[in-house]
Amino acid sequence: RPPRSTLFPYTTLFRSNIFDNSYTEGISGGNVRCAQIFKNIRKLVPGLKLRIVGSEKCQAFYHDFGLFENELIVSKEKEVSSFYWTYFYRLCKLILWALSGKFKRQIIYVNSDYLVDVLPAFFSKIFYKTVWIQVSQLIIDHPKKRENSFSNYIAYYFQRVSFQLMKKADLVITDGYEVRDVLINEFGFFPQAVKVGFLGIDLQQIAQVMPAKRASDLIFAGTLGKRKGVEDFINICKHLAGREVSFKATVIGGKADQIKALQIITDQHGISRDID
């Protein structure tokens, strides 16, 4: 199905809804990217009516970026104790909103390809001609290629369901050619409906950073979770130290408890002095 020549033929209200209902805790690159996009869109389109749809914790994050004029709170929990129950509750509420026409003739910018965001957008599109802009940033590998766990099987198969629904979106944005090509060649997305929007860098913020006394030979930047590859980074450092190679490594990111756990590991392997 070819995309329409314009994304806004049916919108009676020039309102964009940011769907970020997969948000649970912390700040991801996708959250920051979305906030920066709309912060700059507001400069280009001052009359745009913006509404953030997400949890109470999610609202607080967008408030910090000055995006707070209108909101729909889907849940108010302070901490997510049960991931599946929280998403099920949010999904039921969002589907009811979508079926009742709360997003009728508007724009929905869906910030994740989780079903909790995709399914309500799909219903709103089917029944009310809502303009649907979908973001998809990575293809989840089969659990046998990753950590072979129940949660990974859920994530893998749910994303496949999302992909089938996302074919109804007016526009799908990926952050690189690889994801775009997989969506087109393996999942049958219409080529003209999938566009690449590369990730950006805040050059002003980088320019304010004071240079270190000694340059780093290796840098890891990101959350300190297994799927981000921090274990591989530590193994590389162990390998270099084992070959008596002089090096300086830097780790950027993570929570206080994650950093403490990482420091214990580097101490055990005798490489803590080589890593900041």
Side-chain angles (χ1 to χ4, degrees), residues 218 229-242 247 271:
L218 303 93
V230 68
E231 291 184 3
D232 297 325
F233 185 80
I234 297 301
N235 286 332
I236 290 169
C237 294
K238 285 166 53 182
H239 178 72
L240 293 175
F247 70 94
I271 56 174

Coordinates of all heavy atoms in Angstrom, one line a residue, residues 218 229-242 247 271:
L218 N 40.1 2.8 24.9 CA 38.8 2.2 24.7 C 37.7 2.9 25.5 O 37.9 3.3 26.6 CB 38.8 0.7 25.1 CG 39.9 -0.2 24.5 CD1 41.1 -0.3 25.4 CD2 39.3 -1.7 24.4
G229 N 26.4 -5.2 25.9 CA 27.8 -5.7 25.6 C 28.8 -5.3 26.6 O 30.0 -5.4 26.2
V230 N 28.5 -4.9 27.8 CA 29.5 -4.4 28.7 C 30.4 -5.6 29.1 O 31.6 -5.4 29.4 CB 28.9 -3.8 30.0 CG1 28.1 -4.7 30.8 CG2 29.9 -3.1 30.8
E231 N 29.8 -6.8 29.2 CA 30.7 -8.0 29.5 C 31.7 -8.2 28.5 O 32.9 -8.6 28.8 CB 29.8 -9.2 29.7 CG 28.8 -9.2 30.9 CD 28.0 -10.5 31.0 OE1 28.2 -11.4 30.2 OE2 27.2 -10.6 31.9
D232 N 31.4 -8.0 27.2 CA 32.4 -8.2 26.1 C 33.5 -7.1 26.3 O 34.7 -7.4 26.1 CB 31.7 -8.0 24.8 CG 30.7 -9.1 24.5 OD1 30.9 -10.2 24.9 OD2 29.7 -8.7 23.8
F233 N 33.1 -5.9 26.7 CA 34.1 -4.8 26.9 C 35.1 -5.2 28.0 O 36.3 -5.0 27.8 CB 33.3 -3.5 27.2 CG 34.3 -2.3 27.3 CD1 34.7 -1.7 26.2 CD2 34.7 -1.9 28.6 CE1 35.5 -0.6 26.3 CE2 35.5 -0.8 28.7 CZ 35.9 -0.1 27.5
I234 N 34.6 -5.8 29.1 CA 35.4 -6.2 30.2 C 36.3 -7.3 29.8 O 37.5 -7.4 30.1 CB 34.6 -6.6 31.4 CG1 33.8 -5.4 31.9 CG2 35.5 -7.2 32.5 CD1 34.6 -4.2 32.4
N235 N 35.8 -8.2 29.0 CA 36.6 -9.4 28.5 C 37.8 -8.9 27.6 O 38.9 -9.4 27.6 CB 35.8 -10.4 27.7 CG 34.9 -11.2 28.7 OD1 35.3 -11.4 29.8 ND2 33.8 -11.7 28.2
I236 N 37.5 -7.8 26.8 CA 38.5 -7.2 26.0 C 39.6 -6.6 26.8 O 40.8 -6.8 26.6 CB 37.9 -6.1 25.0 CG1 37.0 -6.8 24.0 CG2 39.0 -5.3 24.4 CD1 36.2 -5.8 23.2
C237 N 39.2 -5.9 27.9 CA 40.2 -5.4 28.8 C 41.0 -6.5 29.5 O 42.2 -6.3 29.7 CB 39.5 -4.5 29.9 SG 38.7 -3.0 29.2
K238 N 40.4 -7.6 29.9 CA 41.1 -8.7 30.5 C 42.1 -9.3 29.5 O 43.2 -9.6 29.9 CB 40.1 -9.8 30.9 CG 39.3 -9.5 32.2 CD 38.1 -10.4 32.3 CE 38.4 -11.9 32.2 NZ 37.3 -12.8 32.3
H239 N 41.7 -9.4 28.3 CA 42.6 -10.0 27.3 C 43.8 -9.1 27.1 O 44.9 -9.6 27.0 CB 41.8 -10.1 25.9 CG 42.6 -10.6 24.8 ND1 43.0 -11.9 24.7 CD2 43.1 -10.0 23.7 CE1 43.7 -12.1 23.6 NE2 43.8 -10.9 23.0
L240 N 43.6 -7.8 27.0 CA 44.8 -6.9 26.9 C 45.7 -6.9 28.1 O 46.9 -7.0 27.9 CB 44.2 -5.4 26.6 CG 43.5 -5.2 25.3 CD1 42.9 -3.7 25.3 CD2 44.4 -5.4 24.1
A241 N 45.1 -6.9 29.3 CA 45.9 -7.0 30.5 C 46.7 -8.3 30.5 O 47.8 -8.3 31.0 CB 45.0 -6.9 31.7
G242 N 46.0 -9.4 30.1 CA 46.7 -10.7 30.1 C 47.9 -10.7 29.1 O 48.8 -11.5 29.4
F247 N 47.1 0.0 28.5 CA 45.9 0.7 27.9 C 45.1 1.5 29.0 O 45.3 1.2 30.2 CB 45.0 -0.3 27.3 CG 44.3 -1.2 28.3 CD1 43.0 -0.9 28.7 CD2 44.9 -2.4 28.7 CE1 42.4 -1.7 29.7 CE2 44.3 -3.2 29.7 CZ 43.0 -2.9 30.1
I271 N 42.0 -5.4 36.9 CA 42.1 -4.4 35.9 C 41.4 -3.1 36.3 O 41.2 -2.2 35.4 CB 41.4 -4.9 34.6 CG1 40.0 -5.4 34.8 CG2 42.2 -6.1 33.9 CD1 39.2 -5.8 33.5

